[in-house]
Structures are given as structure tokens and as C-alpha cells.
Amino acid sequence: MAKTVDARGLSCPQPVIMTVNAIKEKGQDELVVLVDTDTAKENISRAAKAQGWSVLSIDTDDGGYKIKIGK
Amino acid sequence: MKHFLSTRWGIISVGVLIGILASLLQLWGNPANMGICVACFERDIAGALGLHRASVVQYMRPEIIGFVLGSFVAAYLFKEFRSRLGSAPIVRFVLGVFAMIGALIFLGCPWRALLRLAGGDWNAILGLVGLAVGIWIGTLFLRNGYNLGRSHKTHISAGWIMPLVMLGFLVIMLFNPQISGEGQSGILFYSVEGPGSMHAPLIISLAAGLFIGFLAQKSRFCTMGAIRDLILFKQTHLFGGLVALAVAAFLTNLVVGQFNPGFVGQPVAHNMHFWNFAGMGLAGLAFALAGGCPGRQLFLSGEGDGDASVFVIGMIVGAAVAHNFGLASSPAGVSGGGIYAVIIGFAVCLAIGFTMKEKTA
């Protein structure tokens, strides 16, 4: 079960900090990140790639985005 | 799928366009090395409204109006408009106040710091170093869990308030147009001399503002974010835009003959190095804690972010405080009150950084 990072309502750079911290936790190879702005969505995708991860899927979810990222 | 403006070349292009336009706005009438200065222009708006009565800095700057409305249009066109608010508004207001006070001690926002550099005003180097140090302090807080909490979705009309306020400013300006040689027209104040009297024609300023607001909304152009992301994540995406702005303005200045290198006698600037550094340091810390440079806060206001709007109003009020209390610098240098203001501002911002950690998990 992939861990979920709920960054909805948080302004940048919080969503990225939370995501990068979660990526660096041991044993994680997949994460679900919830955000509610397009800026955060782009920043999460960019940060994931910078960490060597990739974006697996992006779904719209309750006015925001559910981003699945993985190694 | 990815929009061009969200790419690396997208943000670099936006930086280039802002740099060229800012330099040309100076050629068309805006003050020297102040083609666009969000802090100075918000200060001029405060003066136009009579919130302060510094007679040389009173003008309802159409560029600022254009920034918010251009971003508003872009946000709707790209389906990114989202009304949201509620992330510690009073804290953001206070950060806006001190961001403005810091900026007015240096005499410029980060955009103007870059434009001053591009015009050969080497005092800007001290300001930019201060800005980076202020943002660096901000990143230390961010690393340690500093957080102003979540915003939440709200009524669509709530997100329209700031764009409508700006539209109202434009209407007021159209009904109270500048009268040559007069310091007042109806309910608006104008400058007869000084930086407030220097401006490009209204329609050009407005068009430039709308154009930049539109591009910056989609590209997320932010000078604070550029330096913050570089320090925090070693990420150069936004930094490309910042460098592009400075280089483009520099080259345009060379072409049109607006490059005058030196420390002394620079327009709307002083050369008290420490206070240039410290003023911008305070501003940088406040921007970092609030999550955006003054320009970015305007673009966010346009896309429905009510908290960014509160920061903008804080800056406008901060300008009134800075001039009414004699805190703002002049070309002669920093004022006695300004020195106390920097110290108090740092104390307040540090207290905010240390005490506001919110568990978000």
C-alpha cells in the first residue's frame, strides 16, 4: 500500500518538502501525493524527477490532483 | 500536454520579455531603473489613494492593476482559477507590512534590484546579497517545519475580490485622470515631481501589465522562489527566469543607452551598503515566509488566492506606514526610524518563523 502525502491547501514549497521527505524515507518505492493547485502539481512532478522517481499517473480528485509517483 | 510556459524555456522566455518590457517602460516614461518595481508601484498606489502623503510618490500604477487582471484572465483560460483562503491571513498581512518596509529601505523589490543591476547601479549587488541571505534564513525555518497552515476552498466570488478591487482602481483612475501640473484630480493624488510623476502612458503601462500578468501566472515566475528553490532543492528552474530578466534588461539598456555603471548618484537609490543589504534581507525573509515575491503575490491574487491578496494589502499598508512614520529611505540614505524598523521587522519575522510550525500530517 503506497503511502499518501496530503499536501492539499498548502502553498509552495510545503508540498515539495513533504514529498521529498517521504521519498527519502526508507522502504518507499511508491507514493500518492494529493495537491489542489496546478503549481503544486507541476512542482511535485518536477521534484519527483529530480529525485530519480517518475510520475506514474495523475488523476483529478475533488477539484485537485492525485499524483502517483514511483521509483 | 505540458504547456510551453511551464517548461524551462518557457520561464526563461517570460524572464526575457519582462526584462525587455521593463527597460522599455523606462524609455517610455517610467522612472530610471524602475521600469517595473512591484514594491515601489504599490507604494505609489498607496500615495495615489492618500494613504500616505509623500508628494513625490503618488500614482495609480496601471502595471500593478494589469498584473492581477492579466493573471486572472490566464487562470480562467487555463482552468486554473481556484478560490482559496484561510492560511493565517493576519500573519501574511504583517509579513506584507515588513516586506514593504524592508523593500523601501533598500528602495526596490527584487524585480527592481535586478533592474538596478541591469542599469549599472552596483548598490543593487548589496540588495541582492541581502535578499539571498534573507531567503536563506527563511529556508532554515522551512526545513524545520515552519508552516502557515492549510488554506481551504471557498466561494468563487471570494477569489474575485482582489481582481475586482484592481478593476475598481482602474475605473477610479479613468474617472479621475491626471491634470498636468496638478497634485490632485478628484479623489486621486498625483505627483507633480519626483518618481511618481514619471510614468509611461496609461494604455502602455496597462497593456504591459496585462501581458506580463498573463505570462507570469502560467509560468509561475517568482524571484523569491528562484533563490529559495536553488538553496532548498538545488533546483534551477525558476532561477532561469530571474537571470533571463536581468540579462534581457541589461542588453536592452545597452541598446537604448540606459546603462550607467557606478555606486554614486544612481537614480532613486542610496549607497549605504549595510542598509541596502539589511533592508532587502528583511524583505527576503518576509517573502520566503509568505511564499512569494511581491510580483508572485499579485499573480496568485489574480488566480483566486485570498491569502496572497492579504499579503498585497499588507504591502500597501506597509508603504503608508513607511512614509507616514518616515521609515523609507531617500536618495540621501536610510532614516533613523528606518534602522529601528529593520530591527523590529527582523524580530517579528524571526518570531513568526520560530513559533509557527504546524503539524500537517
Side-chain angles (χ1 to χ4, degrees), chain B residues 273-313:
Chain B
H273 301 321
F274 178 77
W275 297 107
N276 279 328
F277 169 84
M280 214 46 172
L282 170 60
L285 175 56
F287 300 147
L289 294 177
C293 76
R296 178 78 183 139
Q297 305 279 0
L298 289 171
F299 309 135
L300 285 170
S301 298
E303 57 171 74
D305 187 336
D307 296 316
S309 304
V310 172
F311 183 90
V312 170
I313 293 166

Side-chain angles (χ1 to χ4, degrees), chain A residues 6-14 16-18 20 36-39 42 46-47 62-65, chain B residues 6 79-80 82 84 92 142 146-147 149-151 153 218 220 228 232-233 235 237 291 296 303 360:
Chain A
D6 183 359
R8 286 175 297 185
L10 293 170
S11 51
C12 285
Q14 301 305 340
V16 175
I17 293 178
M18 290 166 72
V20 171
D36 58 1
T37 64
D38 291 84
T39 307
E42 290 166 12
R46 208 174 282 127
D62 187 28
Y65 299 98
Chain B
S6 335
K79 296 189 171 60
E80 293 187 354
R82 285 192 175 80
R84 54 197 192 271
R92 292 176 189 273
L142 286 166
Y146 164 80
N147 192 329
R150 293 176 198 269
S151 62
K153 270 193 283 190
K218 188 63 189 165
R220 331 295 184 205
R228 178 199 66 203
L232 204 53
F233 308 122
Q235 208 192 79
H237 177 77
R296 178 78 183 139
E303 57 171 74
T360 48

Side-chain angles (χ1 to χ4, degrees), chain B residues 137-328:
Chain B
I137 298 171
T139 63
L140 297 181
F141 287 122
L142 286 166
R143 277 185 212 279
N144 284 299
Y146 164 80
N147 192 329
L148 286 180
R150 293 176 198 269
S151 62
H152 55 83
K153 270 193 283 190
T154 182
H155 314 289
I156 292 190
S157 54
W160 279 57
I161 288 180
M162 201 60 177
L164 286 175
V165 166
M166 289 295 163
L167 194 62
F169 283 172
L170 182 62
V171 171
I172 290 173
M173 191 177 188
L174 294 176
F175 278 94
N176 299 274
Q178 186 166 24
I179 305 162
S180 182
E182 295 285 332
Q184 196 171 357
S185 166
I187 57 171
L188 278 190
F189 294 98
Y190 288 89
S191 294
V192 178
E193 54 176 12
S197 70
M198 303 166 76
H199 55 82
L202 190 159
I203 188 71
I204 290 179
S205 294
L206 184 64
L210 285 167
F211 183 63
I212 291 171
F214 186 94
L215 295 176
Q217 188 279 331
K218 188 63 189 165
S219 67
R220 331 295 184 205
F221 185 87
C222 178
T223 54
M224 186 287 296
I227 297 172
R228 178 199 66 203
D229 289 355
L230 195 65
I231 297 173
L232 204 53
F233 308 122
K234 307 208 171 20
Q235 208 192 79
T236 55
H237 177 77
L238 289 172
F239 201 75
L242 182 153
V243 172
L245 188 162
V247 172
F250 166 67
L251 293 176
T252 313
N253 282 339
L254 275 187
V255 172
V256 300
Q258 290 178 159
F259 183 75
N260 303 298
F263 275 103
V264 184
Q266 290 290 347
V268 203
H270 61 78
N271 55 2
M272 292 188 170
H273 301 321
F274 178 77
W275 297 107
N276 279 328
F277 169 84
M280 214 46 172
L282 170 60
L285 175 56
F287 300 147
L289 294 177
C293 76
R296 178 78 183 139
Q297 305 279 0
L298 289 171
F299 309 135
L300 285 170
S301 298
E303 57 171 74
D305 187 336
D307 296 316
S309 304
V310 172
F311 183 90
V312 170
I313 293 166
M315 283 192 72
I316 293 174
V317 172
V321 171
H323 282 283
N324 288 340
F325 294 180
L327 311 176

